[in-house]
Amino acid sequence: TSYNLLLLPGDGIGPEIMAEAAKVLAALSDLGLAHFETEEDLVGGAAIDARGNPLSDETIALAKAADATLFGAVGGPKWDGKGPFHLRPEIGILGLRKALGLYANLRPAKCYGPLATASSLHAELVSGLDILVVRELTGGVYFGQPKEIVTLQDGQRRAVDTQVYTTSEVERIGRVAFDLARKRKNLVHSADKNNVMRTGTLWRETITDLHAAEFADVTLEHILADNLGMQLVRKPGQFDVLVMDNLFGDLLSDVAAMLTGSLGMLPSASLGDADPVTGSRPSLYEPIHGSAPDIAGQGFANPLAMIGSLAMSLRYSLDEPDLADRVEAAIESVLEQGLRTPDIAAPGQNAVSTAEMGTAVAEA
Ligand code: NAI
Ligand code: MG
């Protein structure tokens, strides 16, 4: 099989880590099991500098046509806070999510074998941890109307954000979570605040109905979102797939992520709905971290989140689970060999560069 991937390195460390993902792709092609064609384009600040536009229509068209899109990161001090909103680097990512209709954000928090990071305070709690947060990405309080700050007659200001969900929005994200659970441990925890929010009630009822109608074979538990925050820190191993709205998912996926160590290790996937005619499903794969301007250009960024994102694209978009397993096993094996970029190195340990880490994964 031949696949066509769009690479959007972006800004800061984006191009450095994308080069390592490209090495791994080349190594996969060399196995002779599948062939990978890549195309590259500018996005974010790099595209502003070259074209005056962080996300061109041509880039969107390339992403729609590709079997999967790998995205590095966008933004940096050169552009931050400057110019009108529609000309900021962030539009490179927000605009792509919108244009591709990516409503499901998958954020695994997986603890690879021996973890030697300074932040791993609770090694026994997180050892072997493998959970997947499924976050609704295009609805909820970040997008609901009205959304405004108005000045009142007495001179105070009043801010409003509105949380809105429809049954179809909840159903489609629920379906993604249940489908994924069937390929994992068959366990879904759905988080909401049904005790104090109407959207929470709708969320819980919709997930309950969907479960009864289509996924009765999967174990479903409901949990209040604040309790989930506590349980994630107390005993994360009790969870497998977690599904929640945009706001809770934003917060709690960051909590789940940091259980496992460095930002530089964590991949993500964003999925939309399959086209009813072609069957192709829009998707975007990116590390959860940003462009890390503080370390850009030094050659020491951790490429594993980017390479892990590539593995997710093999699993979820290209339907090549064996190749995804191989890439993840390669990541695991280089960590077992003790290779560490500075962000995950133990104090005093010799660290390797971005390129050394990428080459080691490609060889493995
Ligand atoms: P950041 O994730 O870029 O960096 C936070 C800290 O983590 C920094 O100290 C950085 O050096 C470190 N770090 C991040 N990735 C790493 C890696 N792969 N290896 C080693 N260390 C790593 O977040 P920050 O500093 O808040 O934002 C920097 C820029 O990135 C801003 O312009 C922001 O808007 C943008 N950003 C872009 C995102 C995207 O493109 N999806 C997401 C988050 C931020
Ligand atoms: Mg966030």
Side-chain angles (χ1 to χ4, degrees):
T1 330
S2 184
Y3 300 106
N4 154 32
L5 282 93
L6 175 64
L7 310 185
L8 299 174
D11 307 317
I13 62 170
E16 300 170 40
I17 58 176
M18 189 64 82
E20 304 313 311
K23 273 186 202 166
V24 174
L25 269 176
L28 287 172
S29 279
D30 287 347
L31 292 174
L33 302 172
H35 182 72
F36 299 94
E37 300 277 348
T38 60
E39 195 159 0
E40 203 168 307
D41 201 4
L42 301 172
V43 71
I48 295 175
D49 289 353
R51 307 170 181 151
N53 180 358
L55 178 64
S56 65
D57 292 341
E58 290 72 25
T59 309
I60 293 173
L62 286 174
K64 283 185 174 160
D67 292 314
T69 297
L70 304 187
F71 187 97
V74 290
K78 183 173 176 194
W79 310 279
D80 280 350
K82 292 172 195 142
F85 190 68
H86 70 278
L87 289 180
R88 299 220 179 135
E90 292 73 29
I91 293 303
I93 184 66
L94 298 177
L96 260 181
R97 286 178 185 157
K98 194 168 172 210
L100 300 179
L102 306 175
Y103 63 84
N105 186 218
L106 279 48
R107 288 192 31 181
K110 181 170 167 154
C111 216
Y112 289 100
L115 190 80
T117 74
S119 54
S120 164
L121 297 174
H122 305 288
E124 73 286 0
L125 270 187
V126 300
S127 157
L129 187 71
D130 184 5
I131 60 186
L132 180 63
V133 177
V134 179
R135 167 188 170 193
E136 201 290 325
L137 200 59
T138 53
V141 71
Y142 294 165
F143 298 100
Q145 294 297 329
K147 188 177 198 62
E148 61 191 13
I149 303 181
V150 291
T151 303
L152 304 178
Q153 277 179 343
D154 66 0
Q156 284 197 80
R157 295 200 302 155
R158 180 169 178 272
V160 181
D161 293 289
T162 306
Q163 165 103 327
V164 183
Y165 273 108
T166 60
T167 44
S168 65
E169 283 175 309
V170 180
E171 263 169 23
R172 65 182 187 178
I173 191 73
R175 205 167 268 126
V176 169
F178 286 124
D179 271 334
L180 288 165
R182 278 185 176 154
K183 295 181 197 150
R184 296 171 52 102
K185 294 182 196 139
N186 236 25
L187 173 64
V188 171
H189 282 77
S190 171
D192 60 46
K193 288 286 285 181
N194 97 315
N195 51 345
V196 288
M197 295 175 78
R198 301 312 296 157
T199 45
T201 301
L202 183 89
W203 183 278
R204 190 170 291 213
E205 289 175 359
T206 306
I207 295 285
T208 301
D209 291 347
L210 175 69
H211 175 253
E214 296 177 31
F215 297 98
D217 56 304
V218 178
T219 303
L220 168 66
E221 304 277 356
H222 297 285
I223 184 166
L224 291 174
D226 50 344
N227 184 26
L228 175 59
M230 197 250 286
Q231 296 296 335
L232 274 172
V233 175
R234 191 182 75 86
K235 200 180 165 198
Q238 65 186 297
F239 301 115
D240 183 36
V241 174
L242 296 161
V243 62
M244 62 203 85
D245 72 19
N246 202 343
L247 174 64
F248 297 144
D250 190 4
L251 307 187
L252 294 175
S253 64
D254 273 22
V255 173
M258 280 317 290
L259 290 169
T260 67
S262 163
L263 272 181
M265 303 271 297
L266 294 157
S268 78
S270 301
L271 308 175
D273 265 329
D275 182 301
V277 180
T278 64
S280 85
R281 183 171 203 176
S283 62
L284 186 83
Y285 297 86
E286 56 171 331
I288 71 164
H289 61 71
S291 57
D294 55 335
I295 60 165
Q298 297 170 24
F300 282 99
N302 188 339
L304 294 181
M306 188 73 247
I307 295 171
S309 301
L310 163 63
M312 289 188 85
S313 76
L314 293 164
R315 191 177 305 287
Y316 297 116
S317 283
L318 309 186
D319 202 19
E320 293 282 357
D322 295 342
L323 292 182
D325 286 345
R326 282 190 192 224
V327 174
E328 285 171 359
I331 292 173
E332 202 150 347
S333 84
V334 301
L335 289 170
E336 262 158 29
Q337 288 162 37
L339 265 66
R340 298 285 187 275
T341 44
D343 57 310
I344 53 171
Q349 182 186 6
N350 271 340
V352 300
S353 68
T354 309
E356 286 168 322
M357 185 63 107
T359 300
V361 175
E363 281 171 4

